[in-house]
Amino acid sequence: MDLPALSLTAVPGRRLATLELAREIERRGFAGMWVPSPFSGLGLCHALAHVTERAVFATSIAPIYFQQAEEFAQAAAFIHEVSGGRFRFGIGVSHQPTHERMGIRPGKPLGDIRAFVEEIRGVPRTGGLPPVVLAAMRPRMIALAGEIADGIVFANAARSHIPASLEALPADKRDDAGFEIACMTPTCVSDDLEAAKAVNRKTLTRYAQLPYYRNYWKDAGYREEMEAVERAMPEGDAAVAACLSDRWLADVTLFGPPARIREGVEELRAAGVRTPVLVPSSAAGGQMKAFEEVMAVFA
């Protein structure tokens, strides 16, 4: 089978090891690396441009409020040029808790994204920009991506709901193989299903407390679970996690033995995802163990 992409983060203290891991991911033929914002995601992408030769890589995502648009444009153009066009600039608005922590006062997400894309494309002397990919879950942002961007990236999407979500794209973009449709999916490889479920449930407990994700999952058919989460939030993370049903978890994440992970990747592709992006976690160790387990699935 065609290999998925992997989500890669350079945790402090393991940055050099992460670059070695990136080389191994490329050597094994995975479909690229998608880099979240924590621990300087854009910085990791600068490094990937130099330590890899063939792999596609992307930010997933760079929050648009974290820097001036001109600085983003110059950084993205630099990576685009020195990587030989292998970089994808994934952008998004992030979430309210992050805005509050950083003292950011965002405007309307759709308007802010549109203005940001216009602004970075208007910066002089960049030498050219990479393809722009929008973080999108709900119909209006997906439709905007079809209008102004070169792709979309879902995160924690319900596989059963992806075909309905993609209806918001113009038909020509749904049929255009050059229009990126990626999906970041939490993944835990283990023969112990209960242990793997517990890992993914813990990973997503924080996301379930974000209004944007809850509204998306309500639309996707999980209103009962999300309303239970809203009632449980004052009681803390454990109470929230208890509201996240196995049915929901099996639709939003991948867990279990290798064959089950491979089946889930094919389900993502069948739903319309062109680039499944596995976000590895382990029930038996840390980050490096998680990558070892996920790469073994496709050995």
Side-chain angles (χ1 to χ4, degrees):
M1 65 182 299
D2 292 337
L3 272 60
L6 300 179
S7 175
L8 189 65
T9 302
V11 177
R14 294 203 297 270
R15 292 181 174 114
L16 290 176
T18 300
L19 298 184
E20 288 299 324
L21 176 59
R23 294 186 183 99
E24 182 66 10
I25 290 168
E26 178 179 66
R27 187 189 71 78
R28 290 179 180 238
F30 283 89
M33 288 159 272
W34 289 67
V35 179
S37 60
F39 310 114
S40 186
L42 203 57
L44 176 54
C45 286
H46 274 284
L48 292 177
H50 294 283
V51 302
T52 62
E53 298 176 353
R54 302 175 306 281
V56 172
F57 57 96
T59 49
S60 181
I61 47 89
I64 64 171
Y65 304 114
F66 284 17
Q67 290 184 164
Q68 294 285 341
E70 182 170 346
E71 180 61 24
F72 265 131
Q74 293 293 355
F78 180 94
I79 299 170
H80 175 63
E81 181 175 331
V82 301
S83 69
R86 295 183 289 125
F87 178 53
R88 310 290 180 261
F89 189 32
I91 61 171
V93 297
S94 191
H95 297 276
Q96 182 179 346
T98 301
H99 300 156
E100 292 175 351
R101 177 172 56 84
M102 299 188 70
I104 293 167
R105 293 187 176 181
K108 299 292 185 181
L110 292 167
D112 285 358
I113 285 285
R114 182 186 291 276
F116 179 84
V117 172
E118 290 176 357
E119 190 169 354
I120 63 170
R121 286 176 173 165
V123 173
R125 300 184 55 145
T126 64
L129 286 170
V132 174
V133 177
L134 301 191
M137 300 293 290
R138 305 187 75 195
R140 290 194 296 170
M141 190 65 79
I142 294 170
L144 181 64
E147 178 187 347
I148 69 170
D150 305 293
I152 59 173
V153 54
F154 296 114
N156 311 318
R159 294 193 292 284
S160 64
H161 192 62
I162 288 171
S165 295
L166 293 178
E167 288 297 317
L169 278 177
D172 62 323
K173 295 298 173 71
R174 292 198 302 273
D175 296 337
D176 180 2
F179 186 84
E180 180 64 271
I181 302 173
C183 184
M184 307 271 286
T185 301
T187 302
C188 183
V189 183
S190 177
D191 290 331
D192 186 337
L193 286 183
E194 293 306 314
K197 286 192 290 186
V199 168
N200 284 353
R201 189 172 272 113
K202 181 178 179 180
T203 297
L204 285 180
T205 293
R206 177 173 65 88
Y207 291 94
Q209 296 178 68
L210 297 172
Y212 183 85
Y213 274 107
R214 287 200 307 277
N215 289 333
Y216 163 77
W217 286 320
K218 287 176 183 177
D219 292 344
Y222 298 98
R223 178 169 295 276
E224 181 178 343
E225 288 91 337
M226 294 306 113
E227 289 179 348
V229 165
E230 289 165 352
R231 293 190 296 270
M233 283 171 57
E235 301 175 32
D237 287 357
V240 169
C243 301
L244 302 177
S245 68
D246 284 359
R247 182 179 74 96
W248 172 86
L249 198 71
D251 201 9
V252 173
T253 76
L254 297 176
F255 56 85
R260 184 164 173 166
I261 304 300
R262 290 190 292 267
E263 289 170 5
V265 170
E266 291 307 303
E267 288 171 4
L268 282 162
R269 290 196 172 106
V273 173
R274 296 193 171 105
T275 305
V277 184
L278 306 189
V279 185
S281 294
S282 176
Q287 180 193 35
M288 294 303 174
K289 179 65 173 177
F291 275 94
E292 176 186 322
E293 290 166 344
V294 166
M295 289 192 293
V297 169
F298 303 95

Coordinates of all heavy atoms in Angstrom, one line a residue, residues 162-221:
I162 N -16.1 12.7 6.8 CA -15.2 13.4 5.8 C -15.9 13.6 4.4 O -15.8 14.6 3.8 CB -13.9 12.6 5.7 CG1 -13.0 12.9 6.9 CG2 -13.1 13.1 4.4 CD1 -11.8 12.0 7.0
P163 N -16.6 12.5 3.9 CA -17.2 12.8 2.6 C -18.2 13.9 2.6 O -18.3 14.7 1.7 CB -17.9 11.4 2.3 CG -17.1 10.4 3.0 CD -16.7 11.1 4.3
A164 N -19.0 14.0 3.7 CA -19.9 15.2 3.8 C -19.2 16.5 3.9 O -19.6 17.5 3.3 CB -20.8 15.0 5.1
S165 N -18.1 16.5 4.7 CA -17.3 17.7 4.8 C -16.8 18.2 3.4 O -16.8 19.4 3.1 CB -16.1 17.5 5.7 OG -16.6 17.3 7.0
L166 N -16.3 17.2 2.6 CA -15.7 17.6 1.3 C -16.8 18.1 0.3 O -16.4 18.6 -0.7 CB -15.0 16.4 0.8 CG -13.7 16.0 1.6 CD1 -13.1 14.7 0.9 CD2 -12.7 17.1 1.6
E167 N -18.0 17.9 0.6 CA -19.1 18.5 -0.3 C -19.0 20.0 -0.3 O -19.5 20.6 -1.2 CB -20.5 18.0 0.2 CG -20.8 16.6 0.0 CD -20.8 16.2 -1.5 OE1 -21.4 17.0 -2.3 OE2 -20.3 15.2 -1.9
A168 N -18.3 20.6 0.7 CA -18.2 22.1 0.7 C -17.2 22.5 -0.3 O -17.1 23.8 -0.6 CB -17.8 22.5 2.1
L169 N -16.3 21.6 -0.8 CA -15.4 22.0 -1.8 C -16.0 22.1 -3.2 O -16.9 21.2 -3.5 CB -14.2 21.0 -1.9 CG -13.1 21.1 -0.9 CD1 -12.1 19.9 -1.1 CD2 -12.3 22.4 -1.0
P170 N -15.6 23.0 -4.1 CA -16.1 23.0 -5.4 C -15.7 21.6 -6.1 O -14.6 21.1 -5.8 CB -15.3 24.1 -6.1 CG -14.9 25.0 -5.0 CD -14.7 24.1 -3.8
A171 N -16.5 21.2 -7.0 CA -16.3 19.9 -7.6 C -14.9 19.8 -8.3 O -14.2 18.7 -8.2 CB -17.4 19.6 -8.6
D172 N -14.5 20.9 -8.9 CA -13.2 20.8 -9.6 C -12.0 20.6 -8.6 O -11.0 20.0 -9.0 CB -13.0 22.1 -10.4 CG -12.9 23.4 -9.6 OD1 -13.7 23.5 -8.6 OD2 -12.1 24.3 -10.0
K173 N -12.2 21.1 -7.4 CA -11.1 20.9 -6.4 C -11.2 19.5 -5.8 O -10.1 18.9 -5.6 CB -11.2 22.0 -5.3 CG -11.0 23.4 -5.7 CD -9.6 23.6 -6.3 CE -9.4 24.9 -6.9 NZ -9.3 26.0 -6.0
R174 N -12.3 19.0 -5.6 CA -12.5 17.6 -5.2 C -11.8 16.6 -6.2 O -11.3 15.6 -5.8 CB -13.9 17.2 -4.9 CG -14.6 17.9 -3.8 CD -15.8 17.2 -3.3 NE -16.8 17.0 -4.4 CZ -17.8 17.9 -4.7 NH1 -17.8 19.1 -4.0 NH2 -18.6 17.7 -5.6
D175 N -11.9 17.0 -7.5 CA -11.4 16.1 -8.5 C -10.0 16.4 -8.9 O -9.4 15.7 -9.7 CB -12.3 16.2 -9.8 CG -13.7 15.8 -9.5 OD1 -13.9 15.0 -8.6 OD2 -14.6 16.2 -10.2
D176 N -9.4 17.4 -8.3 CA -8.0 17.9 -8.7 C -7.0 17.2 -7.8 O -6.9 17.5 -6.6 CB -7.9 19.4 -8.6 CG -6.6 19.9 -8.9 OD1 -5.7 19.1 -9.3 OD2 -6.4 21.2 -8.8
A177 N -6.2 16.3 -8.3 CA -5.2 15.6 -7.5 C -4.2 16.5 -7.0 O -3.5 16.1 -6.0 CB -4.6 14.5 -8.4
G178 N -4.0 17.7 -7.5 CA -3.0 18.6 -7.1 C -3.5 19.4 -5.9 O -2.8 20.2 -5.3
F179 N -4.8 19.3 -5.6 CA -5.4 20.1 -4.4 C -5.2 19.1 -3.2 O -5.8 18.1 -3.1 CB -6.8 20.4 -4.6 CG -7.4 21.3 -3.6 CD1 -7.3 22.7 -3.6 CD2 -8.2 20.7 -2.5 CE1 -7.9 23.5 -2.6 CE2 -8.7 21.5 -1.5 CZ -8.6 22.9 -1.6
E180 N -4.4 19.6 -2.2 CA -4.1 18.7 -1.1 C -5.4 18.5 -0.2 O -6.1 19.5 0.1 CB -3.0 19.4 -0.3 CG -2.6 18.6 1.0 CD -2.0 17.2 0.6 OE1 -2.8 16.2 0.5 OE2 -0.8 17.1 0.4
I181 N -5.6 17.3 0.2 CA -6.6 17.0 1.3 C -5.9 16.1 2.2 O -5.7 14.9 1.9 CB -7.8 16.3 0.7 CG1 -8.5 17.2 -0.4 CG2 -8.8 16.0 1.8 CD1 -9.7 16.6 -1.1
A182 N -5.4 16.6 3.3 CA -4.7 15.9 4.4 C -5.5 15.7 5.6 O -6.5 16.5 5.8 CB -3.4 16.5 4.7
C183 N -5.2 14.7 6.4 CA -5.9 14.5 7.7 C -5.0 14.0 8.8 O -4.4 12.9 8.6 CB -7.1 13.6 7.5 SG -8.1 13.4 9.0
M184 N -4.8 14.8 9.8 CA -4.0 14.4 11.0 C -4.8 13.5 11.9 O -5.9 13.9 12.4 CB -3.6 15.6 11.8 CG -2.9 16.7 10.9 SD -1.1 16.4 10.8 CE -0.6 16.9 12.5
T185 N -4.4 12.3 12.1 CA -5.1 11.3 12.9 C -4.3 10.7 14.0 O -3.3 10.1 13.8 CB -5.7 10.2 12.0 OG1 -6.5 10.8 10.9 CG2 -6.5 9.2 12.8
P186 N -4.7 10.9 15.3 CA -4.0 10.2 16.4 C -4.0 8.7 16.2 O -5.0 8.1 15.9 CB -4.8 10.6 17.6 CG -5.5 11.9 17.2 CD -5.8 11.7 15.8
T187 N -2.8 8.1 16.4 CA -2.6 6.7 16.1 C -1.8 6.1 17.2 O -0.7 6.5 17.6 CB -1.8 6.6 14.8 OG1 -2.6 7.2 13.7 CG2 -1.6 5.1 14.4
C188 N -2.3 4.9 17.7 CA -1.5 4.2 18.7 C -1.6 2.7 18.3 O -2.6 2.1 18.2 CB -2.2 4.3 20.1 SG -1.3 3.5 21.4
V189 N -0.4 2.1 18.1 CA -0.2 0.7 17.6 C 0.0 -0.1 18.8 O 0.9 0.0 19.6 CB 0.9 0.6 16.7 CG1 1.0 -0.9 16.2 CG2 0.8 1.6 15.5
S190 N -0.9 -1.1 19.0 CA -0.8 -2.0 20.2 C -1.8 -3.2 20.0 O -2.9 -3.0 19.5 CB -1.1 -1.3 21.5 OG -1.0 -2.2 22.6
D191 N -1.4 -4.4 20.4 CA -2.3 -5.5 20.4 C -3.2 -5.4 21.6 O -4.3 -6.1 21.6 CB -1.5 -6.8 20.5 CG -0.7 -7.1 19.3 OD1 -1.2 -6.7 18.2 OD2 0.3 -7.8 19.3
D192 N -2.9 -4.5 22.6 CA -3.8 -4.3 23.7 C -4.7 -3.2 23.4 O -4.4 -2.0 23.5 CB -2.9 -4.0 24.9 CG -3.7 -3.8 26.2 OD1 -4.9 -3.6 26.2 OD2 -3.1 -4.0 27.3
L193 N -5.9 -3.5 22.9 CA -6.9 -2.5 22.5 C -7.2 -1.5 23.6 O -7.3 -0.3 23.3 CB -8.1 -3.1 21.9 CG -8.0 -3.8 20.6 CD1 -9.4 -4.4 20.2 CD2 -7.5 -2.9 19.5
E194 N -7.4 -2.0 24.8 CA -7.8 -1.1 25.9 C -6.7 -0.1 26.2 O -7.0 1.1 26.4 CB -8.2 -1.9 27.1 CG -9.5 -2.7 26.9 CD -10.6 -1.9 26.4 OE1 -10.9 -0.8 27.0 OE2 -11.3 -2.3 25.5
A195 N -5.5 -0.5 26.2 CA -4.3 0.4 26.4 C -4.2 1.4 25.3 O -4.0 2.6 25.6 CB -3.0 -0.4 26.5
A196 N -4.4 1.0 24.1 CA -4.3 1.9 22.9 C -5.4 2.9 23.0 O -5.2 4.1 22.7 CB -4.3 1.1 21.6
K197 N -6.6 2.5 23.3 CA -7.8 3.4 23.4 C -7.5 4.4 24.5 O -7.8 5.6 24.3 CB -9.1 2.6 23.7 CG -9.6 1.9 22.5 CD -11.0 1.4 22.7 CE -11.1 0.3 23.7 NZ -12.5 -0.3 23.8
A198 N -6.9 4.0 25.6 CA -6.7 4.9 26.7 C -5.7 6.0 26.3 O -5.9 7.2 26.7 CB -6.2 4.1 27.9
V199 N -4.7 5.6 25.5 CA -3.7 6.6 25.1 C -4.4 7.6 24.2 O -4.2 8.9 24.4 CB -2.6 5.9 24.3 CG1 -1.7 6.9 23.6 CG2 -1.7 5.1 25.3
N200 N -5.2 7.2 23.2 CA -5.8 8.2 22.3 C -6.9 9.0 23.0 O -7.1 10.2 22.7 CB -6.5 7.4 21.1 CG -5.4 7.0 20.1 OD1 -4.2 7.3 20.2 ND2 -5.8 6.2 19.1
R201 N -7.6 8.4 23.9 CA -8.6 9.1 24.7 C -7.9 10.2 25.5 O -8.4 11.4 25.5 CB -9.4 8.2 25.6 CG -10.6 8.8 26.3 CD -11.4 7.8 27.0 NE -12.4 7.1 26.1 CZ -12.4 5.9 25.7 NH1 -11.4 5.1 26.2 NH2 -13.3 5.4 25.0
K202 N -6.8 9.9 26.1 CA -6.1 11.0 26.8 C -5.6 12.1 25.9 O -5.7 13.3 26.2 CB -4.9 10.3 27.5 CG -4.0 11.3 28.4 CD -2.9 10.7 29.1 CE -2.1 11.7 29.9 NZ -1.0 11.0 30.6
T203 N -5.1 11.7 24.7 CA -4.6 12.7 23.7 C -5.7 13.7 23.4 O -5.5 14.9 23.2 CB -4.1 12.0 22.5 OG1 -3.0 11.2 22.8 CG2 -3.7 13.0 21.4
L204 N -6.9 13.1 23.2 CA -8.0 14.0 22.7 C -8.9 14.6 23.8 O -9.8 15.4 23.4 CB -8.9 13.1 21.8 CG -8.3 12.8 20.4 CD1 -9.3 12.0 19.5 CD2 -8.0 14.1 19.7
T205 N -8.6 14.3 25.0 CA -9.4 15.0 26.1 C -9.3 16.5 26.0 O -10.2 17.2 26.2 CB -8.9 14.4 27.5 OG1 -9.3 13.1 27.5 CG2 -9.6 15.2 28.6
R206 N -8.0 17.0 25.7 CA -7.9 18.4 25.6 C -8.6 19.0 24.5 O -9.3 20.1 24.6 CB -6.4 18.8 25.5 CG -6.1 20.2 25.3 CD -4.6 20.5 25.3 NE -3.9 19.9 24.2 CZ -3.7 20.5 23.0 NH1 -4.2 21.7 22.8 NH2 -3.1 19.9 22.1
Y207 N -8.6 18.3 23.3 CA -9.3 18.8 22.2 C -10.8 18.9 22.4 O -11.5 19.7 21.9 CB -9.0 18.0 20.9 CG -7.6 18.1 20.5 CD1 -6.6 17.3 20.9 CD2 -7.2 19.1 19.6 CE1 -5.3 17.4 20.5 CE2 -5.9 19.3 19.2 CZ -4.9 18.4 19.6 OH -3.6 18.6 19.2
A208 N -11.3 17.9 23.1 CA -12.8 17.8 23.4 C -13.2 19.0 24.2 O -14.4 19.3 24.2 CB -13.1 16.5 24.1
Q209 N -12.3 19.7 24.9 CA -12.7 20.9 25.7 C -12.6 22.2 24.9 O -12.9 23.3 25.4 CB -11.8 20.9 26.9 CG -12.1 19.7 27.8 CD -11.2 19.7 29.0 OE1 -11.3 20.5 29.9 NE2 -10.3 18.7 29.1
L210 N -12.3 22.1 23.6 CA -12.3 23.3 22.7 C -13.6 23.4 22.0 O -14.1 22.4 21.3 CB -11.1 23.1 21.7 CG -9.7 23.1 22.3 CD1 -8.7 22.8 21.3 CD2 -9.4 24.4 23.0
P211 N -14.3 24.6 22.0 CA -15.6 24.7 21.4 C -15.6 24.4 19.9 O -16.6 23.8 19.5 CB -15.9 26.2 21.7 CG -15.1 26.6 22.8 CD -13.9 25.8 22.8
Y212 N -14.6 24.7 19.2 CA -14.6 24.5 17.8 C -14.7 23.0 17.5 O -15.5 22.6 16.6 CB -13.3 25.1 17.1 CG -13.2 25.0 15.6 CD1 -13.8 25.9 14.8 CD2 -12.6 23.9 15.0 CE1 -13.8 25.8 13.4 CE2 -12.5 23.8 13.7 CZ -13.1 24.7 12.9 OH -13.1 24.6 11.5
Y213 N -13.9 22.2 18.2 CA -13.9 20.8 17.9 C -15.2 20.2 18.4 O -15.8 19.3 17.7 CB -12.8 20.1 18.6 CG -11.5 20.1 17.8 CD1 -10.4 20.9 18.1 CD2 -11.4 19.3 16.7 CE1 -9.3 20.9 17.4 CE2 -10.2 19.3 15.9 CZ -9.2 20.1 16.2 OH -8.0 20.1 15.5
R214 N -15.7 20.6 19.5 CA -17.0 20.0 19.9 C -18.1 20.3 18.9 O -19.0 19.5 18.6 CB -17.4 20.6 21.3 CG -16.6 20.1 22.5 CD -17.3 20.3 23.8 NE -17.7 21.6 24.0 CZ -17.0 22.6 24.5 NH1 -15.7 22.3 24.8 NH2 -17.4 23.8 24.7
N215 N -18.2 21.5 18.4 CA -19.2 21.9 17.4 C -19.0 21.0 16.1 O -20.0 20.6 15.6 CB -19.1 23.3 17.1 CG -19.6 24.2 18.2 OD1 -20.5 23.8 19.0 ND2 -19.2 25.5 18.2
Y216 N -17.8 20.8 15.7 CA -17.5 19.9 14.6 C -18.0 18.5 14.9 O -18.7 17.9 14.1 CB -16.1 19.9 14.2 CG -15.7 18.7 13.3 CD1 -16.0 18.7 12.0 CD2 -15.1 17.6 13.9 CE1 -15.7 17.6 11.2 CE2 -14.8 16.5 13.1 CZ -15.2 16.5 11.7 OH -14.9 15.4 10.9
W217 N -17.7 18.0 16.0 CA -18.1 16.6 16.3 C -19.6 16.4 16.5 O -20.2 15.4 16.2 CB -17.3 16.1 17.5 CG -15.9 15.7 17.2 CD1 -15.4 15.2 16.1 CD2 -14.7 16.0 18.0 NE1 -14.0 15.0 16.2 CE2 -13.6 15.6 17.3 CE3 -14.6 16.6 19.3 CZ2 -12.3 15.7 17.8 CZ3 -13.3 16.7 19.8 CH2 -12.2 16.3 19.1
K218 N -20.2 17.5 17.0 CA -21.7 17.5 17.0 C -22.3 17.3 15.6 O -23.2 16.5 15.4 CB -22.2 18.7 17.7 CG -22.0 18.8 19.2 CD -22.5 20.2 19.7 CE -22.2 20.3 21.2 NZ -22.6 21.7 21.7
D219 N -21.7 18.1 14.7 CA -22.1 18.0 13.3 C -21.9 16.6 12.7 O -22.6 16.2 11.8 CB -21.4 19.1 12.4 CG -21.8 20.5 12.7 OD1 -22.8 20.7 13.4 OD2 -21.1 21.4 12.3
A220 N -20.8 16.0 13.2 CA -20.4 14.7 12.7 C -21.2 13.5 13.3 O -21.0 12.4 12.9 CB -18.9 14.5 12.9
G221 N -22.2 13.8 14.2 CA -23.0 12.8 14.7 C -22.7 12.4 16.1 O -23.3 11.3 16.6

